[in-house]
Amino acid sequence: MWLKPEEILLKNALKLWVAEKGNEYFVLQRRRGYGEGGGGLTGLLVGTLDTMMDSTSKVAPFRILHQTPDSQIYWSIACGGTKEEINQHWEWLEKNIMRTLSVFDSSDDITSFVQGKIRGLIAEEGKVSGVQEDDPEKFREALLRFEKWFDLPQKEKLVTYYSCSYWRGRVPCQGWLYLSTNFLSFYSYLLGSEVKLVVSWNEIWRLEKTSNVILTESIHVLANGEDHYFSMFLHLSETFLIMEQLADYSIKRLFDKETFQEEPSLSDPLQITKRGLETNARNEQFRAFFRLPKEENLLEVYESFLWVPFSHFNTLGKICLSESYLCFASQDGSQCHVIIPMREVIGVEKPDRSSRALTVCVRGKRALRFSEVRDFERLSNAIRRRCGMTASPQHSASTEGIRGECQNLINHFEDNPEEVAMMVGQKESSKTVSNEALMTVFHPQDAENLDPKMLKEKMKEQSWDIHFSEYGRGTSMFCTKKTRDLIVRGVPEALRGELWMLFSGAVNDMAVNPGYYSEIVDKSLGTSTLATDEIERDLHRSLPEHPAFQSDTGISALRRVLTAYAYRNPKIGYCQAMNILTSVLLLYAKEEEAFWLLVAVCERMLPDYFNRRIIGALVDQAVFEELIRMHLTQLTEHMTDLTFFSSVSLSWFLTLFISVLPIESAVNVVDCFFYDGIKAILQLGLAVLDYNMEGLISSHDDAEAVTILSKFFDNVTNKDSPLPQTVQQNSVGNNDKSSSLSKVDISDLIKEAYEKYGDMKSEEVERMRKRNKLYVIQTLEDTTKQNVLRVVSQEVKFSAPQLDNLYALFKRQHFLSCYWTMNSPVLLHHDPSLAYLEQYQLGFHQFRVLFSLLEPWSLCSGNDALFLWAFRLLDENQDGLVNFKEFCCALDILYSGTFTNKLKFLFKLHLPPVSDLPEDGVIRKSPERGKGKVDLQAYLKQWQDEILKKEESIKDLPRINQAQFIQFSKTLYNLFHGDPEEESLYRAVARVTSLLLRMEEVGRRLQEPTSPTQAAPEGALLNREACSTPEESSDTPCATITLEAGSIPQEVEWSFAFEQILASLLNEPVLVRFFERPVDIQARLDHAKGAQLKAKTNK
């Protein structure tokens, strides 16, 4: 059968394949162990491995690979179970493909053509076969096996399963891989040997496709310091995609606290499906490629030809239809693509059925002709429906009339712009918003200036005018290789804002949200938050040398844009570097346009860059390191530790080189960024290191390397910049000290970056981002853990490994509250501004489960009230949550504390709480970032109280009353249940209780000699049965102790001090022995690891 073209990582790994026949472009291979000869020992091994696999996982014995003469890359395009089947595919290729390939000039065009043909064949076969993707009966059987083998909570949702091999050392274990919402699980049972593996997605550090000598292709999973390899998949790419989606879903939900309100298929972790994950992956790829708003989803795909007027030929590609956009991308994705907003479509013409074509008319007297569309009528109706047109037969005849009316309407609005403002509902307050780019205000171009730089600028504008006349202008412009070439040469000053808006997709955001910016400017100005305080502090640090930001005009515009964005997105609020980027945007774009450009950068093009942990920038730095190893091997041989480049390049990524390059050069980099995304920044970074290779290799330390790069950036110029000398940073103050170094023109540097590294695909960069994101996040989590353990280790006596295990259990319990719901208090009240010690906390329900697994004496077993009292006792700041330090300090007392401290803990457990637990279990005292102003005085007071806090004395403890003392006695009895000295312990407690009651009665008689004596009976003791737990039998051999309710008069309230109880208990050696007896915490930790997932959490 034909296969979706996939790159083969290793052509002949372990000589598993033998070439049967081949030519210049294709090779047919047979797997060893099949056919003539058998292949000797290697063939026997391969045959044995293939026999072990079930029918759904066997590797086909024959395959066809595509190759080109000047490339080492091979693509699998077909496989077959028999020689006859594979020969049919081979003959079809020779008859239908071989003759056509000779007309192509480049190997890339050959590969693109072959891939397109194979995908077309697969699509045709899929329509004919109509086979259902999932078999409900088989899935039900797999679900039963999954529940039986792994004993996970019933709420855990199985997404899909695959047959594969799991490698234990050099031995493969054939079994089943189960992918569920929160876990990766594997089970194998062969020849009496059982293999079972369960890994949480949030524990994975690495997830990647690999290849080595033993395993041709496999999936590598690194979790908890252990490497796991899975291979022999029938559909490895599909499996990896689902695993990647589940890992990413877990990271976003558990670490970033996303709720996926705009993604219905992901909003409920109990309803995640394989199809939903695949759809989400397609939507993400679709939005990223075409730079569309996050609300857009890929609805339909059609293969067709598009008539390209500037090239005068039809190009094969795909039409992608979403709710509001019609997009087309040619076969290789880079040759040509176009985006047509539905709001721009004014008609759909439909020629005769024989051509299977349709023409889409857009504003600006332009039309796009699609031909050979298999289901052109359905596409035509879909476009009309989304544009609000009727699909009546008369529609096509009246298209010219509609188009004429629309054009007249456009002309009318161009002549009467005030009506446009009325239609979009702009408020009068928008008059405060600047409607001109700051560059046009402070540096207007002189049309009569004919100096060489201005002449070159005019030539650039003419080149773009020619491009617009051929390729169109505005949202429906064709983007081609020629467009990129013009970008690399530099964008004219007058067109920069327009093109930034177009290529970033911000033009669409602004068009569908008229009046939005003015509205949030009105709402946000005057508010006082942590974000606004930070913005005010940084306003005058944003391009301070530029005249635009030495005046109130520029500063006010910058304040409005940053404050409005912080109001729009409180999750980000404001982050340093946003001010520098926004300053440059305001120079070339109008204020409202600058706001939407900032939205596009922060929320689409540079995700997760501008937050507290700048995860996005760290991920791209990891990608940058990987690219350095791939492309600059000479540098990696000299500098094995590449973390230096990560620290140096952080500002490159956060500010798009604006902070290190002169402004007149940096804007050329921003041009490339808005067209090519982060790929342009990565390419330029490689070019910078390559240019300075010799100096970096000869440098002796990091400081010298930093100096080399700094001097290089100081000498980057833009010889074509028409900006005045007073604005150009390169001309101010650094010519003398760097005159000995040669100048580098930014256009030449960018051109070199594209020539050397331009073959880097955006899709590959995205894959590298996903692969490195897991590692970056887990590294940050590990750093947080080390900081927390360092603080806590000073307070407790646990060993480092024990603390590490406790942290893992505590963190997992925190996540368990989020695994199966989006509405847990931990998620709803997450505050990213908290210190690392507070990042993971437990509410009461999670605390009860974990504390019951780790407490040494079954202290609260069967008594929910005691759990609640313990929770309130540990919750020192009364915020409804217990952090790791509070939890560990309590366990440290129970396991390693002195007799006095243990008894004091039990005593305080029975004192009344200061406040009641809130209904949702959470009280948040820290405001969310950007939403409220932090009360610094309260924080300072709390810090001062902690410094002055002295160790609690036993004399400071309040007295315990009658009811509390009875409950305290019951708790003591519960501690001894099942102990070898249980009978002696019961008798000791009875003696202590009796003694305390007598002492209290004597004390009362001495204090009140004139009052009537109402003494308790001599034998007034606690009822043994009343003090025991319900599970204990009433006939336990022990002393029967009684204390009737009426034996102590109701009007007499008696109480005990802690000192009295302590002194009485110290007189009983058996009790002292019990509390001072060491308890093995490691055994409890080991037990908790296995029982944590099974423990019930009743909410």
Side-chain angles (χ1 to χ4, degrees):
M1 65 178 178
W2 299 108
L3 301 174
K4 180 182 177 182
E6 289 187 0
E7 186 177 331
I8 300 298
L9 300 179
L10 205 60
K11 178 189 170 189
N12 285 318
L14 199 61
K15 300 297 181 183
L16 298 180
W17 297 90
V18 181
E20 291 280 293
K21 61 176 76 173
N23 55 40
E24 192 176 4
Y25 301 109
F26 302 100
V27 58
L28 189 154
Q29 294 183 333
R30 171 177 55 83
R31 192 168 173 84
R32 286 187 182 274
Y34 296 90
E36 300 86 354
L41 181 61
T42 305
L44 182 62
L45 172 62
V46 175
T48 303
L49 291 176
D50 289 349
T51 303
M52 288 171 59
M53 294 185 290
D54 61 83
S55 59
T56 63
S57 184
K58 285 185 179 178
V59 178
F62 299 95
R63 70 179 181 182
I64 298 177
L65 305 180
H66 163 63
Q67 61 174 345
T68 52
D70 56 348
S71 174
Q72 297 298 316
I73 298 175
Y74 288 75
W75 299 84
S76 62
I77 59 173
C79 68
T82 63
K83 198 166 187 177
E84 292 74 17
E85 180 187 359
I86 204 68
N87 279 333
Q88 288 178 3
H89 289 337
W90 182 265
E91 291 170 4
W92 188 91
L93 290 171
E94 287 184 327
K95 289 179 182 179
N96 298 278
I97 300 291
M98 286 296 296
R99 296 176 185 176
T100 311
L101 297 183
S102 59
V103 304
F104 291 100
D105 296 329
S106 70
S107 60
D108 289 342
D109 293 339
I110 292 173
T111 301
S112 297
F113 178 78
V114 171
Q115 290 180 356
K117 278 293 183 183
I118 299 302
R119 290 192 180 102
L121 290 170
I122 294 171
E124 288 293 335
E125 288 179 351
K127 289 185 177 180
V128 173
S129 64
V131 177
Q132 290 188 352
E133 182 183 34
D134 296 321
D135 187 331
E137 190 59 36
K138 284 187 177 180
F139 190 86
R140 196 175 299 112
E141 293 175 3
L143 180 59
L144 292 174
R145 292 197 301 267
F146 173 72
E147 293 173 348
K148 172 186 174 183
W149 288 338
F150 301 107
D151 198 22
L152 294 171
Q154 290 186 349
K155 292 183 290 186
E156 182 64 12
K157 175 71 167 61
L158 177 63
V159 176
T160 188
Y161 62 99
Y162 298 96
S163 174
C164 69
S165 286
Y166 170 59
W167 290 77
R168 302 182 70 185
R170 294 179 177 270
V171 180
C173 302
Q174 184 62 31
W176 293 92
L177 178 69
Y178 294 87
L179 307 180
S180 59
T181 306
N182 299 293
F183 300 97
L184 176 155
S185 310
F186 177 83
Y187 184 85
S188 172
Y189 186 82
L190 289 173
L191 303 176
S193 175
E194 183 182 56
V195 178
K196 189 184 294 186
L197 174 72
V198 179
V199 177
S200 299
W201 293 114
N202 56 275
E203 296 173 348
I204 293 179
W205 284 62
R206 287 278 187 195
L207 179 62
E208 56 192 348
K209 287 194 281 190
T210 60
S211 175
N212 55 41
V213 176
I214 297 178
L215 306 175
T216 52
E217 286 184 291
S218 61
I219 296 176
H220 170 221
V221 177
L222 172 62
N224 298 319
E226 297 182 7
D227 291 292
H228 308 283
Y229 291 91
F230 303 91
S231 68
M232 300 184 187
F233 292 94
L234 184 61
H235 302 292
L236 184 136
S237 294
E238 175 193 297
T239 309
F240 183 75
L241 173 66
I242 299 298
M243 294 172 72
E244 197 175 51
Q245 284 289 303
L246 284 169
D248 188 57
Y249 177 64
S250 177
I251 290 294
K252 289 179 178 178
R253 191 162 57 91
L254 302 178
F255 291 103
D256 299 339
K257 311 301 182 187
E258 286 192 21
T259 55
F260 299 93
Q261 294 178 354
E262 297 173 358
E263 296 284 350
S265 61
L266 302 179
S267 59
D268 185 357
L270 302 181
Q271 302 298 327
I272 298 296
T273 63
K274 175 186 171 185
R275 182 165 298 177
L277 291 169
E278 291 174 334
T279 301
N280 183 65
R282 284 195 299 270
N283 290 336
E284 286 181 346
Q285 188 176 9
F286 167 67
R287 288 191 292 261
F289 184 85
F290 292 108
R291 307 276 173 79
L292 297 179
K294 58 185 178 182
E295 297 81 15
E296 296 300 313
N297 294 303
L298 180 60
L299 301 179
E300 300 176 35
V301 178
Y302 301 85
E303 193 172 84
S304 75
F305 287 90
L306 172 64
W307 173 253
V308 186
F310 48 85
S311 300
H312 304 290
F313 74 92
N314 283 313
T315 180
L316 177 64
K318 285 195 167 112
I319 300 172
C320 301
L321 197 64
S322 71
E323 291 90 341
S324 307
Y325 296 89
L326 173 69
C327 308
F328 177 87
S330 62
Q331 212 167 51
D332 60 359
S334 61
Q335 183 182 357
C336 170
H337 73 269
V338 62
I339 304 166
I340 309 169
M342 292 297 182
R343 64 180 182 275
E344 299 288 324
V345 177
I346 59 175
V348 180
E349 298 177 0
K350 185 171 61 174
D352 57 1
R353 295 175 178 272
S354 60
S355 62
R356 295 193 302 177
L358 65 136
T359 302
V360 178
C361 303
V362 298
R363 294 177 184 176
K365 298 182 179 180
R366 296 186 58 230
L368 291 89
R369 186 176 185 274
F370 300 98
S371 59
E372 297 299 324
V373 185
R374 290 191 177 87
D375 201 350
F376 69 98
E377 289 187 348
R378 180 182 175 187
L379 174 60
S380 175
N381 292 332
I383 296 173
R384 289 179 182 139
R385 187 169 59 252
R386 283 169 175 76
C387 296
M389 305 173 188
T390 60
S392 62
Q394 293 82 10
H395 174 77
S396 58
S398 61
T399 302
E400 288 298 327
I402 295 173
R403 186 166 53 181
E405 291 177 15
C406 291
Q407 189 60 44
N408 292 336
L409 194 62
I410 294 168
N411 295 335
H412 173 74
F413 282 134
E414 287 176 350
D415 297 334
N416 301 275
E418 67 279 357
E419 294 188 26
V420 178
M422 290 173 64
M423 286 185 66
V424 299
Q426 290 182 339
K427 298 184 177 181
E428 294 199 7
S429 62
S430 65
K431 293 178 182 177
T432 62
V433 175
S434 174
N435 290 319
E436 286 187 287
L438 294 179
M439 195 63 78
T440 62
V441 175
F442 288 88
H443 307 293
Q445 291 190 10
D446 185 0
E448 298 180 359
N449 185 355
L450 298 179
D451 65 46
K453 290 186 177 181
M454 286 306 300
L455 286 175
K456 196 156 189 177
E457 188 76 2
K458 294 296 181 185
M459 291 173 61
K460 284 183 183 179
E461 291 181 11
Q462 290 176 5
S463 298
W464 277 97
D465 288 338
I466 295 171
H467 184 275
F468 290 146
S469 65
E470 293 181 353
Y471 297 83
R473 187 168 188 171
T475 53
S476 55
M477 182 181 80
F478 284 88
C479 294
T480 66
K481 291 180 179 178
K482 187 175 180 182
T483 313
R484 179 182 280 116
D485 293 339
L486 287 174
I487 292 286
V488 171
R489 284 160 52 188
V491 175
E493 299 279 315
L495 296 175
R496 191 157 266 140
E498 176 188 344
L499 293 176
W500 286 359
M501 289 288 290
L502 177 64
F503 297 140
S504 66
V507 64
N508 295 314
D509 293 326
M510 191 169 79
V512 298
N513 293 283
Y516 176 84
Y517 177 65
S518 298
E519 182 181 340
I520 63 170
V521 164
D522 290 345
K523 291 180 179 178
S524 61
L525 284 181
T527 58
S528 179
T529 65
L530 180 62
T532 57
D533 290 347
E534 293 175 349
I535 290 169
E536 290 297 326
R537 186 182 64 235
D538 288 345
L539 282 176
H540 295 278
R541 303 176 185 173
S542 310
L543 299 185
E545 68 285 342
H546 198 285
F549 298 100
Q550 294 170 358
S551 70
D552 184 63
T553 303
I555 293 295
S556 297
L558 182 60
R559 177 187 291 112
R560 286 192 294 268
V561 172
L562 292 174
T563 305
Y565 186 77
Y567 184 87
R568 165 191 167 87
N569 191 345
K571 185 176 179 181
I572 291 178
Y574 170 77
C575 179
Q576 284 190 340
M578 287 173 67
N579 61 317
I580 297 174
L581 176 61
T582 308
S583 301
V584 175
L585 299 179
L586 282 166
L587 289 178
Y588 294 96
K590 298 175 184 177
E591 187 176 321
E592 184 176 6
E593 292 175 342
F595 169 79
W596 288 112
L597 283 168
L598 184 63
V599 170
V601 171
C602 294
E603 298 176 13
R604 268 201 311 274
M605 302 186 71
L606 296 178
D608 298 325
Y609 259 61
F610 302 101
N611 56 29
R612 189 177 62 86
R613 300 199 293 178
I614 58 171
I615 289 174
L618 296 177
V619 169
D620 284 341
Q621 284 182 299
V623 172
F624 188 50
E625 283 188 29
E626 196 172 332
L627 291 172
I628 292 173
R629 291 189 180 93
M630 291 169 56
H631 297 282
L632 304 177
T633 53
Q634 189 179 355
L635 190 60
T636 56
E637 290 172 1
H638 176 73
M639 304 178 72
T640 54
D641 184 10
L642 298 182
T643 53
F644 161 74
F645 296 112
S646 294
S647 58
V648 169
S649 64
L650 181 61
S651 62
W652 304 358
F653 291 100
L654 281 173
T655 65
L656 307 180
F657 283 92
I658 295 171
S659 63
V660 293
L661 286 174
I663 184 65
E664 66 274 10
S665 301
V667 290
N668 286 38
V669 179
V670 180
D671 296 340
C672 299
F673 167 75
F674 279 122
Y675 189 82
D676 273 323
I678 194 62
K679 179 170 100 69
I681 305 301
L682 294 168
Q683 289 174 180
L684 185 61
L686 291 173
V688 168
L689 297 182
D690 189 24
Y691 193 94
N692 294 276
M693 178 80 74
E694 186 176 340
L696 291 172
I697 289 177
S698 60
S699 61
H700 297 90
D701 52 35
D702 291 352
E704 186 177 349
V706 169
T707 303
I708 291 169
L709 291 174
S710 298
K711 288 182 178 179
F712 170 78
F713 286 128
D714 288 341
N715 284 275
V716 176
T717 64
N718 187 349
K719 64 178 184 294
D720 298 332
S721 175
L723 294 179
Q725 291 296 317
T726 55
V727 175
Q728 294 191 27
Q729 296 176 8
N730 188 267
S731 62
V732 182
N734 60 9
N735 285 335
D736 295 337
K737 60 184 178 183
S738 59
S739 58
S740 60
L741 298 175
S742 60
K743 300 291 184 182
V744 181
D745 188 71
I746 187 63
S747 297
D748 296 336
L749 186 62
I750 291 175
K751 185 178 179 182
E752 182 179 347
Y754 272 90
E755 287 176 352
K756 287 188 175 181
Y757 312 109
D759 57 349
M760 190 190 310
K761 296 282 193 299
S762 297
E763 294 80 5
E764 179 60 27
V765 171
E766 287 302 318
R767 282 196 291 270
M768 295 169 73
R769 271 178 157 182
K770 288 185 177 180
R771 183 168 65 243
N772 284 284
K773 184 177 180 180
L774 290 172
Y775 183 79
V776 167
I777 287 180
Q778 295 294 4
T779 302
L780 291 173
E781 288 295 308
D782 191 60
T783 302
T784 298
K785 181 182 78 170
Q786 298 305 325
N787 289 332
V788 171
L789 296 187
R790 187 177 65 252
V791 171
V792 176
S793 63
Q794 300 173 6
E795 307 284 336
V796 299
K797 298 182 179 66
F798 295 127
S799 65
Q802 289 170 348
L803 264 181
D804 195 278
N805 289 334
L806 275 172
Y807 185 86
L809 289 168
F810 190 89
K811 182 178 175 180
R812 170 175 272 200
Q813 194 65 42
H814 166 90
F815 282 146
L816 283 175
S817 67
C818 316
Y819 271 175
W820 300 287
T821 179
M822 288 291 189
N823 299 318
S824 69
V826 173
L827 282 172
L828 296 176
H829 299 273
H830 174 66
D831 184 355
S833 67
L834 290 174
Y836 52 76
L837 193 61
E838 307 289 335
Q839 284 299 304
Y840 296 116
Q841 303 181 89
L842 301 183
F844 168 66
H845 303 291
Q846 290 74 44
F847 166 82
R848 184 185 61 186
V849 173
L850 188 59
F851 195 70
S852 66
L853 292 173
L854 293 173
E855 56 166 320
W857 308 310
S858 299
L859 172 64
C860 307
S861 178
N863 192 333
D864 284 346
L866 273 181
F867 279 118
L868 183 59
W869 298 344
F871 180 79
R872 285 167 167 165
L873 177 61
L874 302 189
D875 183 16
E876 294 180 359
N877 58 357
Q878 300 170 26
D879 63 352
L881 295 170
V882 169
N883 64 35
F884 182 67
K885 180 181 176 182
E886 294 167 340
F887 187 81
C888 284
C889 288
L891 287 181
D892 183 61
I893 292 173
L894 297 179
Y895 279 97
S896 308
T898 63
F899 174 80
T900 302
N901 287 336
K902 290 177 181 178
L903 195 64
K904 185 166 67 173
F905 180 86
L906 295 175
F907 181 86
K908 291 169 66 177
L909 203 62
H910 297 81
L911 294 175
V914 177
S915 63
D916 293 330
L917 197 68
E919 291 182 4
D920 66 349
V922 181
I923 300 174
R924 304 305 297 170
K925 292 189 176 181
S926 301
E928 282 194 34
R929 184 177 179 82
K931 281 193 174 180
K933 195 157 187 174
V934 177
D935 188 353
L936 297 178
Q937 293 296 328
Y939 277 126
L940 288 173
K941 186 176 185 307
Q942 181 181 351
W943 180 55
Q944 185 180 21
D945 291 343
E946 289 180 0
I947 293 176
L948 298 176
K949 185 170 67 174
K950 59 181 181 179
E951 188 173 351
E952 188 178 47
S953 168
I954 59 175
K955 295 183 178 180
D956 298 329
L957 293 174
R959 295 174 69 87
I960 196 169
N961 65 27
Q962 177 178 334
Q964 293 162 359
F965 178 73
I966 293 174
Q967 185 58 52
F968 174 77
S969 302
K970 290 182 179 181
T971 301
L972 288 178
Y973 280 124
N974 291 342
L975 294 183
F976 310 143
H977 182 59
D979 191 271
E981 297 184 291
E982 181 177 8
E983 181 66 26
S984 301
L985 290 166
Y986 285 148
R987 291 181 180 277
V989 172
R991 285 194 295 270
V992 169
T993 307
S994 179
L995 176 62
L996 286 170
L997 288 171
R998 290 193 181 99
M999 289 171 58
E1000 179 63 18
E1001 183 60 27
V1002 170
R1004 286 191 173 279
R1005 289 178 179 177
L1006 293 175
Q1007 290 176 4
E1008 302 177 8
T1010 59
S1011 63
T1013 303
Q1014 291 182 322
E1018 284 287 322
L1021 301 175
L1022 287 173
N1023 187 343
R1024 160 73 184 92
E1025 295 178 7
C1027 296
S1028 62
T1029 60
E1031 290 80 2
E1032 294 173 7
S1033 60
S1034 58
D1035 56 352
T1036 304
C1038 64
T1040 302
I1041 313 163
T1042 60
L1043 175 62
E1044 301 300 334
S1047 59
I1048 298 179
Q1050 295 299 315
E1051 62 273 11
V1052 178
E1053 281 293 332
W1054 44 268
S1055 62
F1056 298 104
F1058 175 74
E1059 295 167 286
Q1060 293 175 287
I1061 297 175
L1062 175 62
S1064 302
L1065 290 174
L1066 283 172
N1067 288 325
E1068 297 292 338
V1070 66
L1071 289 174
V1072 176
R1073 259 196 327 271
F1074 174 83
F1075 282 106
E1076 291 184 345
R1077 184 192 308 156
V1079 182
D1080 185 8
I1081 187 175
Q1082 192 58 49
R1084 302 293 291 182
L1085 290 171
D1086 294 340
H1087 168 72
K1089 286 179 185 177
Q1092 190 175 26
L1093 278 176
K1094 303 173 187 176
K1096 302 295 183 183
T1097 305
N1098 300 318
K1099 294 189 178 181

